[in-house]
Amino acid sequence: MDTFLLNNSENDLLKAAEHIKNGNVVGLPTETVYGLGADATNEAAVRAIFAAKGRPADNPLIVHLADFSDAVKFTSSIPELAYRLAERFCPGPLTMVLPKNDRIPMVTSGGLDTVGIRVPSHPVMHRIIELSGCPIAAPSANISGYPSPTTAGHVMRDMQGKIAAVVDGGQSDFGVESTVISFDDENSVRILRPGAVTREMLLEICGNVVIDPAILHEVAEGAKVASPGMKYKHYSPKADIIMVEADHDAFLSVVEKEYDEGVYALVFDGDTCPYRHMTYGADSSQQAHLLFQRLRELDEIGAKKVFVRAPSPEGIGLAVYNRLIRAAGFEVIRV
Ligand code: TXA
Ligand code: MG
């Protein structure tokens, strides 16, 4: 199959929407990361997403809608708190797990009776949902386990020959995937995956916001998890990632001890580093924006082992910290 690169002209967005209506899979830009989209109600199309990614069948897909008011069409009940959150955060990088109805096939929900609903704010994605008239199921558009794509080029690298087209909508703004939440009771939510909608922001609307322990700690094999994605290896480049929680000087002495062929450091902008290195921004927003791109670039230049200076886990930094600790397979050096 040839994979066509489409641009953000209305004509090309119409082509992308036609593909979705016809049951094809298309790489789509969003404000978080690029997604691999297809009609969420078409079982064959959804199976093709799982096949293209090599994704385990029990890991559910998020369903993307043009407006939160459409959520009633695909869910069996919506708590009042969800409407209040939608008013504040939709469109945007928030996914709410809700009880699904029969219009969402079990293939899409990975066998669960819930569905993650998200209303993306990226104008290209929004327009394609509108033009197709379909709810669009879309996981991140990477090969399963690899860092998520934040440019159309990244999607091409992973998906060329496997999907109908990729729409180039520029570089993703946030650079980390959406915040995923579930509802614990009428006034509290649980963060299943941290993102740009932070705990502090959720607390402006919710009485209580629980951070699921699996966000920062490895889950034991066979343990019950709140979100299937927590079980799987994620965001990992080919290079071995080691997260180092240390100040600037202590970080450098860790790298010095281990420095060898193929060893790189990933540090903050402004850090002085005498070793082979890349930088990934000076604050948490920049780090979120750049992290996945840097992990891909480190593979391209042949890095074998990468010591990463751990980000501050505050605000959107918690999302960066979470992606890195998983990329590192929970291998952390603390000094
Ligand atoms: O920003 C995003 O969310 C991107 C863009 C494309 O929208 N999508 C994305 O999808 O990151 P994916 O499939 O790569 O990650 C979705 C995560 C997985 O960890 C999955 O297990 C969890 O959300 N998830 C989806 N539906 C769920 C559900 N019904 N219950 C619990 N967890 C769910
Ligand atoms: Mg993903």
Side-chain angles (χ1 to χ4, degrees):
M1 180 189 312
D2 279 338
T3 303
F4 289 96
L5 186 62
L6 301 174
N7 61 40
N8 62 1
S9 66
E10 183 73 1
N11 195 35
D12 271 14
L13 301 195
L14 274 164
K15 283 187 200 162
E18 275 307 305
H19 276 306
I20 302 283
K21 277 197 261 187
N22 294 335
N24 296 326
V25 179
V26 182
L28 301 169
T30 88
E31 72 279 19
T32 56
V33 299
Y34 273 69
L36 209 52
D39 178 356
T41 65
N42 179 331
E43 293 193 21
V46 170
R47 283 207 179 84
I49 296 179
F50 280 90
K53 270 184 77 83
R55 181 176 177 110
D58 70 348
N59 198 0
L61 306 186
I62 292 170
V63 173
H64 299 72
L65 305 174
D67 195 283
F68 191 75
S69 61
D70 293 331
V72 287
K73 298 181 196 159
F74 306 101
T75 56
S76 58
S77 74
I78 301 179
E80 201 264 326
L81 181 56
Y83 283 107
R84 282 196 279 136
L85 288 165
E87 208 164 292
R88 172 81 162 76
F89 300 114
C90 296
L94 180 68
T95 298
M96 296 189 245
V97 173
L98 298 167
K100 76 170 196 71
N101 71 17
D102 289 346
R103 291 184 64 188
I104 299 295
M106 280 292 180
V107 210
T108 306
S109 69
L112 298 176
D113 50 18
T114 55
V115 61
I117 297 285
R118 172 159 124 74
V119 181
S121 63
H122 195 294
V124 168
M125 179 66 168
H126 185 262
R127 187 72 184 136
I128 292 170
I129 301 172
E130 269 185 347
L131 290 171
S132 70
C134 299
I136 297 186
S140 51
N142 50 289
I143 290 169
S144 197
Y146 205 62
S148 297
T150 54
T151 67
H154 295 163
V155 182
M156 272 295 184
R157 179 205 164 276
D158 286 16
M159 294 296 155
Q160 180 119 51
K162 298 185 193 172
I163 61 174
V166 177
V167 182
D168 190 346
Q171 184 156 17
S172 296
D173 275 343
F174 292 112
V176 288
E177 306 86 344
S178 62
T179 305
V180 179
I181 59 167
S182 62
F183 294 84
D184 276 3
D185 63 49
E186 63 188 22
N187 205 21
S188 49
V189 297
R190 170 178 297 262
I191 300 181
L192 306 180
R193 180 179 67 184
V197 173
T198 63
R199 173 163 194 269
E200 295 70 34
M201 290 160 76
L202 291 167
L203 275 170
E204 290 168 23
I205 313 282
C206 308
N208 190 26
V209 177
V210 175
I211 294 185
D212 195 280
I215 285 175
L216 294 174
H217 306 280
E218 195 167 13
V219 293
E221 218 178 298
K224 202 173 169 326
V225 288
S227 173
M230 292 167 171
K231 290 185 300 193
Y232 295 108
K233 192 173 157 71
H234 266 318
Y235 321 116
S236 298
K238 284 186 229 110
D240 199 9
I241 301 293
I242 297 130
M243 188 155 126
V244 184
E245 268 187 75
D247 65 20
H248 173 262
D249 292 350
F251 176 83
L252 288 186
S253 42
V254 169
V255 180
E256 184 187 10
K257 269 189 226 119
E258 303 279 336
Y259 201 55
D260 202 349
E261 211 181 313
V263 171
Y264 281 76
L266 184 59
V267 298
F268 304 161
D269 280 14
D271 282 359
T272 46
C273 181
Y275 309 107
R276 278 182 300 271
H277 69 279
M278 284 191 172
T279 62
Y280 75 120
D283 62 39
S284 297
S285 298
Q286 290 173 7
Q287 289 167 356
H289 183 70
L290 288 172
L291 176 68
F292 288 142
Q293 179 173 335
R294 290 293 183 263
L295 294 182
R296 284 172 174 263
E297 286 166 352
L298 283 157
D299 267 357
E300 271 161 32
I301 61 177
K304 297 282 171 276
K305 201 177 208 185
V306 183
F307 290 90
V308 185
R309 188 158 173 218
S312 147
E314 303 299 317
I316 192 178
L318 181 64
V320 184
Y321 190 99
N322 163 262
R323 304 313 188 270
L324 262 173
I325 202 170
R326 302 193 68 105
F330 292 89
E331 192 177 346
V332 186
I333 298 174
R334 294 191 172 90
V335 261

